[in-house]
Amino acid sequence: MQLKRFASVLLTLFNFSRGCLHDHVRTPHLRDVEDALSKRDVPALVKTAITNVRVFNGYTIGKPQTVIIDGGYITDCDEGIEKTIDGGNRILIPGLIDAHTHVVTVEGLENMTSYGVTTIFNMACSDIDLCKSLRSNPGLTSLFTTMLSALTPSGGNSNLNPVAPEQLLYPNTDPRSLVDYSFGNGSDYFKVVGAPDGPTQNQFNGIVNYTHSLGHFAVAHAPSVSAFTRAVSSGIDVVQHIPDDGVLCSSVVGSMKEYNLASTPTIEIFRRAYTIQPEILQFLRGNNSANATYQNVLSNVRHLHKAGVPILAGTDAVGSTLPVIYFPFGDSLHQELLNLVGIGMTPAEALRAATIVPATVHKLNDRGAIRPGLRADLVLLNSDPLVNISNTRDIAKVWVGGIEYANVAKPSGEA
Ligand SMILES: *[C@@H]1O[C@H](CO)[C@@H](O)[C@H](O)[C@H]1NC(C)=O
Ligand SMILES: *[C@@H]1O[C@H](CO)[C@@H](O)[C@H](O)[C@H]1NC(C)=O
Ligand SMILES: *[C@@H]1O[C@H](CO)[C@@H](O)[C@H](O)[C@H]1NC(C)=O
Ligand SMILES: *[C@@H]1O[C@H](CO)[C@@H](O)[C@H](O)[C@H]1NC(C)=O
Ligand SMILES: *[C@@H]1O[C@H](CO)[C@@H](O)[C@H](O)[C@H]1NC(C)=O
Ligand SMILES: *[C@@H]1O[C@H](CO)[C@@H](O)[C@H](O)[C@H]1NC(C)=O
């Protein structure tokens, strides 16, 4: 059990081939999550006016105005206000979205919330009930999750495989059975784990076609040129990661644009692997790193962005779930915004990549912007993120579903 859960977190991160890390894994259990949730002290919803704030509208920052929160949503009705907060001429942005992460504990959610990351997409789950219990809790980041992934026997180390043998994708498996199982258990979207010898083009096509016929979207893990190309040919909605083993062919990039497929490149895991945490690289590539470079990562993302492919901010953060790799939740999303500006996005484009773009691509029409009728997921910043994207870390207050979060993260350098 312990091994299964551990592996599920790792698996989607890495095509790894070592098995020496099981010791000291912090294994979450459903009862731990329920326990942690029952101990939370959640303030009641009160109709709140935030006065004198300048709102980021997706492109620019407006003149000072009042934003009203009622019952978890933004409203333009100013009657019956119970509480007024002076925004002090500061800047209000929509709650941020991390489009690729691995959260398995309430503490992980708390860390996300404290950094103003109010929605996350969880990219692996081996305990359906545990993932469901993390999904939607008042005053905490909301989580959307995949459940069973389509994974071939060679697509991950069999010893560390979180998918039971009978649930793997074999050449004669009807992929619809995996898709049915996943959505039958309440998955929000379906994930295919692409690998050079992983799912074939036909399997990819069948999964994507069937998932779409059910009205859902699908994503693919694809950190290599071959897997990425196959994923794009299948018409999959979002491709996770970005190849570091070569440059994408222009026709692949062109297809993404033409069919409106999105990319969650997770530059941050590559940046860490190639600069500060080489142990991640060992997992990512094993010894097969002959042609893999960080330059390929950056060139590929730049190419997608220049071509107008929708790009989503995602990190692949695992927090402190694994003993040997600390990859912080929340803070890393702010770093991904910097990474996106680094490949040529404007700060406003980077902010959209973490707000309205992932909301739209993932079909969440209740968030991603600040306007009446949408969820009151809000981040109040002390300084202007359009002047310097690092200023998204300069957080004054966070609201999630209209509830103010008590312990916001201080900018790096402060206690
Ligand atoms: C949900 O998952 C359980 C195993 O946890 C499985 O037995 C069941 O068939 C799944 N439900 C559906 C509708 O696929
Ligand atoms: C796509 O799915 C539909 C409905 O499930 C099916 O009729 C069709 O044959 C499928 N096409 C391909 C290319 O798989
Ligand atoms: C990678 O290479 C090193 C040194 O040659 C070797 O000790 C190690 O076992 C190799 N790792 C894998 C996963 O093959
Ligand atoms: C690296 O690239 C060269 C030239 O394209 C190719 O022949 C070789 O197989 C590649 N090596 C790996 C490990 O992908
Ligand atoms: C949450 O953040 C704290 C403080 O940075 C850190 O010590 C802890 O390990 C984090 N928890 C998780 C689950 O990542
Ligand atoms: C942006 O802010 C960061 C953090 O305060 C600082 O290190 C960096 O130099 C600033 N960049 C510019 C271009 O001013």
Side-chain angles (χ1 to χ4, degrees):
M1 215 45 175
Q2 185 162 346
L3 190 59
K4 278 176 78 176
R5 289 214 182 87
F6 160 62
S8 80
V9 173
L10 253 191
L11 181 83
T12 37
L13 272 174
F14 315 118
N15 290 318
F16 59 96
S17 52
R18 304 193 318 177
C20 55
L21 296 174
H22 331 129
D23 301 337
H24 321 298
V25 172
R26 288 150 210 155
T27 307
H29 289 285
L30 177 58
R31 65 170 177 278
D32 300 331
V33 169
E34 287 170 342
D35 202 39
L37 288 173
S38 71
K39 290 186 179 133
R40 292 182 62 240
D41 191 9
V42 187
L45 280 165
V46 287
K47 185 158 179 177
T48 303
I50 312 167
T51 60
N52 195 21
V53 276
R54 293 180 290 144
V55 171
F56 174 65
N57 68 2
Y59 298 90
T60 57
I61 289 168
K63 294 197 160 53
Q65 65 173 91
T66 297
V67 172
I68 302 169
I69 303 173
D70 188 15
Y73 291 84
I74 298 163
T75 178
D76 51 13
C77 167
D78 60 4
E79 285 160 22
I81 289 168
E82 297 163 89
K83 184 177 177 185
T84 300
I85 292 174
D86 180 4
N89 204 34
R90 283 176 292 198
I91 291 159
L92 199 63
I93 64 170
L96 300 169
I97 300 175
D98 187 335
H100 188 131
T101 183
H102 296 272
V103 170
V104 288
T105 60
V106 174
E107 185 185 281
L109 289 178
E110 300 261 8
N111 285 1
M112 287 289 192
T113 318
S114 73
Y115 279 93
V117 181
T118 53
T119 300
I120 58 174
F121 285 80
N122 188 44
M123 284 292 152
C125 175
S126 60
D127 182 336
I128 290 167
D129 294 326
L130 183 128
C131 297
K132 284 181 176 168
S133 71
L134 291 170
R135 219 176 217 163
S136 179
N137 294 288
L140 264 190
T141 295
S142 39
L143 173 144
F144 294 85
T145 192
T146 183
M147 284 170 178
L148 186 65
S149 300
L151 175 79
T152 57
S154 55
N157 182 291
S158 53
N159 294 328
L160 289 175
N161 207 320
V163 178
E166 67 274 16
Q167 294 178 327
L168 286 169
L169 182 65
Y170 296 98
N172 61 352
T173 304
D174 181 350
R176 290 178 302 181
S177 62
L178 303 184
V179 175
D180 279 335
Y181 174 98
S182 203
F183 289 114
N185 275 292
S187 196
D188 296 303
Y189 53 94
F190 193 75
K191 179 171 178 187
V192 185
V193 180
D197 55 355
T200 62
Q201 189 67 62
N202 276 342
Q203 289 175 319
F204 253 109
N205 296 354
I207 289 167
V208 172
N209 184 19
Y210 186 57
T211 302
H212 287 169
S213 77
L214 299 176
H216 291 292
F217 70 90
V219 309
H221 164 98
S224 64
V225 170
S226 61
F228 199 98
T229 302
R230 218 172 275 167
V232 169
S233 297
S234 74
I236 206 149
D237 303 81
V238 196
V239 189
Q240 307 293 321
H241 311 301
I242 192 81
D244 64 351
D245 63 345
V247 289
L248 288 166
C249 181
S250 290
S251 65
V252 172
V253 176
S255 292
M256 291 189 80
K257 173 65 182 159
E258 183 177 351
Y259 297 106
N260 197 29
L261 312 183
S263 154
T264 303
T266 66
I267 301 171
E268 182 54 7
I269 189 172
F270 294 101
R271 187 191 70 87
R272 287 178 168 266
Y274 283 98
T275 61
I276 52 171
Q277 287 177 294
E279 60 275 24
I280 295 179
L281 197 60
Q282 180 55 224
F283 285 117
L284 272 168
R285 291 256 157 253
N287 288 343
N288 263 335
S289 55
N291 298 334
T293 67
Y294 189 48
Q295 278 316 310
N296 287 337
V297 167
L298 299 178
S299 312
N300 284 326
V301 185
R302 205 171 277 130
H303 194 173
L304 294 177
H305 173 57
K306 278 196 177 145
V309 171
I311 291 178
L312 282 51
T315 59
D316 212 348
V318 295
S320 59
T321 310
L322 304 176
V324 292
I325 300 168
Y326 182 58
F327 187 161
F329 293 129
D331 186 55
S332 55
L333 197 265
H334 293 269
Q335 179 62 41
E336 184 70 359
L337 295 178
L338 241 81
N339 299 340
L340 291 172
V341 168
I343 63 91
M345 281 190 175
T346 63
E349 285 170 338
L351 283 174
R352 284 207 298 283
T355 53
I356 193 66
V357 176
T360 305
V361 165
H362 294 137
K363 304 185 197 315
L364 301 179
N365 54 19
D366 64 347
R367 66 194 75 197
I370 302 176
R371 59 164 191 269
L374 296 190
R375 272 175 67 93
D377 289 347
L378 302 165
V379 184
L380 186 67
L381 299 176
N382 294 312
S383 46
D384 188 340
L386 301 191
V387 170
N388 183 338
I389 193 66
S390 297
N391 290 340
T392 59
R393 281 182 162 122
D394 192 5
I395 301 173
K397 288 180 186 291
V398 171
W399 289 264
V400 57
I403 295 175
E404 188 179 338
Y405 190 74
N407 303 306
V408 298
K410 297 279 174 282
S412 318
E414 287 180 36

